[in-house]
Amino acid sequence: MNKRLRALLAQKEAKIKEARDLTNAAEAANRDLTPEEQTQIDAALAAVTGIDANIQREQTLIAAERSAPVAPAGSGARVTENIDEDPRRGFQSFGHFANAVMQAGRPGGVVDERLLVPGAQAPTTYGNEGTGADGGFLIAPEFARDVFQHSLDQDAILPMTDDYPVQGNTLTFPRDETTPWGTDGIRAYWENEAGAATQTKPKGAVSSLRTNKLMALVPVTDELMQDTGALDRYIGRKTSESIRWKTNLALFQGSGVGQPLGFFGHASQVSVAKEAAQAADTVVAANIAKMYARNLGRSRAVWMINDDVLPQLITMTLGDQPIWTPPQQGMQQAPNGLLMGRPIMVNQVCKTVGDQGDICFVDWKGYRTITKSGAGIETATSMHLFFDYGAMAFRATFRLDGQPSAAAAVTPANGSNSLSPFVVLDARA
């Protein structure tokens, strides 16, 4: 904070104290203000208004100087502020940033200069972008990226999809679902020598995706705000967990209304029937073999299972050979081991053992998603929504949409068993 800004804040504090002392003296004597006292109070409050204007002007100048530094005339030197290049804008952690926002938002509070660095602030719907009490401050880019990375850890499905970052909110893409052995689309024919070639033409369609908003709103009490370490853990962990879970659930079984359209129950899904006389709530080796055979992208696919299914897979064999391979050193991409050579992903979006969807064999490259390009998770803060409760509100917004790339399962050239990137096992009740 520069010297002039500190002096202005001190003047404001002195004028407020002057007016308060006069009102306190009258109240202590149980009397009304005298005309002279009222005149003095009016003058002090008028001075505060003028000082506020000077403070606002000084803050604006500070921000302008930071964004466009000017070197001394004739020096040939270029002055830069290292904090401008810092993706964290000078804050040690998200907790320290949030605490500065809270302090700036309090009546008469001091705005931390780091909040005025370009890229560290943005107005919310509450108006003035330079005064914390009238608005909010966008989380510095580095903290926003931290939350985004955490939300893609562990059991996240989104990174495995065929994802397209978009600048706007929509994406329309062409689709051709004809097969080389089908009856339409581009086809090749054997022709007699010098005979006329048989004409064919492409058969295309289009599909559109439009980003939907996934939001988390988290009120945090003033007490928790004082512990920046606890705030980092609480906000970062809980927000990322919730966003990851809701994204996974939508990609698995979303309705397509205000959220992505999941593959589970989609026309492109293939269901493998249970074995004759198969016991309820079991998974047998024949189920796994048939599911493996019916996946179009089996070389890329992953097994998605409920926790209750894993014990049966670990002890499963074909003849006397196990088909489950335990995790080995360096197998970071398969912490739950391999089944038929493909990774196992334990995820709570899968149904309980015995229900359809408790085990799925999925090639996620057959599922197309769009996300807002460069935005990641947009995070913002405000002290206004829960002001009466002594809490700061943190909001996280993630924009995405998705749907299976194909409209239906593929009919093979020979055989009656359809193929798909999405294979599930029927219920075993």
Side-chain angles (χ1 to χ4, degrees):
M1 186 181 301
N2 67 21
K3 182 177 180 181
R4 176 168 173 75
L5 185 56
R6 283 197 301 269
L8 287 170
L9 291 170
Q11 292 173 22
K12 178 180 177 179
E13 183 179 1
K15 288 298 180 181
I16 293 173
K17 184 176 184 302
E18 178 183 335
R20 176 57 65 190
D21 288 345
L22 289 169
T23 58
N24 288 342
E27 289 177 1
N30 195 24
R31 61 175 175 80
D32 294 333
L33 291 169
T34 66
E36 293 79 8
E37 290 173 332
Q38 185 62 60
T39 300
Q40 290 177 322
I41 290 175
D42 292 343
L45 294 178
V48 168
T49 301
I51 294 170
D52 278 339
N54 292 334
I55 290 174
Q56 180 64 46
R57 186 184 308 110
E58 188 66 23
Q59 290 174 336
T60 302
L61 287 171
I62 291 172
E65 289 168 351
R66 289 185 181 280
S67 61
V70 179
S75 68
R78 181 175 180 270
V79 179
T80 62
E81 182 68 61
N82 289 337
I83 195 173
D84 294 341
E85 306 300 326
D86 182 6
R88 294 177 180 261
R89 299 300 187 259
F91 292 101
Q92 297 179 15
S93 67
F94 174 77
H96 288 101
F97 166 81
N99 201 290
V101 173
M102 182 187 70
Q103 297 298 332
R106 288 177 169 168
V110 177
V111 178
D112 192 306
E113 283 187 335
R114 292 172 292 183
L115 293 174
L116 302 176
V117 177
Q121 70 172 36
T124 69
T125 55
Y126 298 98
N128 192 311
E129 68 180 60
T131 304
D134 294 336
F137 299 91
L138 191 68
I139 292 175
E142 183 66 23
F143 302 126
R145 284 200 299 271
D146 283 348
V147 177
F148 185 60
Q149 290 299 322
H150 293 163
S151 70
L152 298 183
D153 283 348
Q154 302 170 3
D155 60 349
I157 294 173
L158 182 60
M160 297 187 292
T161 65
D162 185 19
D163 184 56
Y164 291 81
V166 295
Q167 296 293 333
N169 291 317
T170 61
L171 173 68
T172 299
F173 55 91
R175 188 177 70 232
D176 182 353
E177 297 184 38
T178 60
T179 59
W181 54 84
T183 58
D184 54 6
I186 297 176
R187 302 180 66 198
Y189 291 90
W190 295 108
E191 297 288 349
N192 295 326
E193 186 176 356
T198 301
Q199 300 178 33
T200 61
K201 63 180 180 180
K203 182 181 179 181
V206 294
S207 294
S208 295
L209 296 175
R210 182 177 181 83
T211 57
N212 302 291
K213 287 198 296 186
L214 176 60
M215 298 182 65
L217 183 64
V218 185
V220 180
T221 64
D222 289 346
E223 289 77 13
L224 184 58
M225 289 290 298
Q226 302 305 318
D227 187 348
T228 57
L231 182 65
D232 280 340
R233 292 191 297 271
Y234 175 66
I235 297 294
R237 176 170 56 85
K238 299 305 293 185
T239 302
S240 62
E241 284 178 357
S242 181
I243 289 175
R244 182 173 64 243
W245 162 254
K246 295 295 286 190
T247 299
N248 285 354
L249 189 62
L251 301 184
F252 185 83
Q253 62 177 43
S255 66
V257 180
Q259 60 182 278
L261 177 63
F263 79 82
F264 188 66
H266 189 262
S268 62
Q269 172 186 293
V270 161
S271 297
V272 172
K274 68 176 183 178
E275 296 299 296
Q278 181 174 345
D281 300 338
T282 61
V283 179
V284 297
N287 299 149
I288 302 302
K290 292 178 179 179
M291 292 179 69
Y292 185 86
R294 297 187 65 179
N295 194 293
L296 271 173
R298 65 182 68 96
S299 63
R300 297 186 302 254
V302 297
W303 297 95
M304 294 187 60
I305 68 170
N306 184 282
D307 300 74
D308 296 336
V309 177
L310 190 58
Q312 297 189 49
L313 300 182
I314 291 175
T315 58
M316 190 175 293
T317 60
L318 273 174
D320 59 352
Q321 295 297 317
I323 62 175
W324 177 80
T325 305
Q328 298 176 3
Q329 185 176 3
M331 196 184 294
Q332 293 89 351
Q333 301 304 316
N336 298 297
L338 302 175
L339 184 64
M340 298 285 287
R342 298 305 304 155
I344 297 172
M345 184 178 184
V346 178
N347 201 304
Q348 283 297 306
V349 300
C350 296
K351 309 301 181 181
T352 189
V353 64
D355 291 348
Q356 185 187 52
D358 62 339
I359 179 169
C360 311
F361 193 38
V362 182
D363 172 21
W364 282 106
K365 291 303 179 185
Y367 189 99
R368 182 174 275 114
T369 56
I370 62 171
T371 51
K372 194 73 169 179
S373 178
I377 293 179
E378 299 173 352
T379 44
T381 64
S382 174
M383 66 166 289
H384 296 276
L385 186 59
F386 300 103
F387 180 80
D388 293 345
Y389 297 90
M392 175 77 74
F394 295 87
R395 186 189 67 204
T397 304
F398 186 41
R399 295 176 180 266
L400 78 157
D401 195 15
Q403 66 181 33
S405 299
V410 175
T411 301
N414 297 292
S416 58
N417 291 324
S418 56
L419 306 172
S420 171
F422 314 107
V423 182
V424 302
L425 183 59
D426 275 348
R428 286 86 59 213

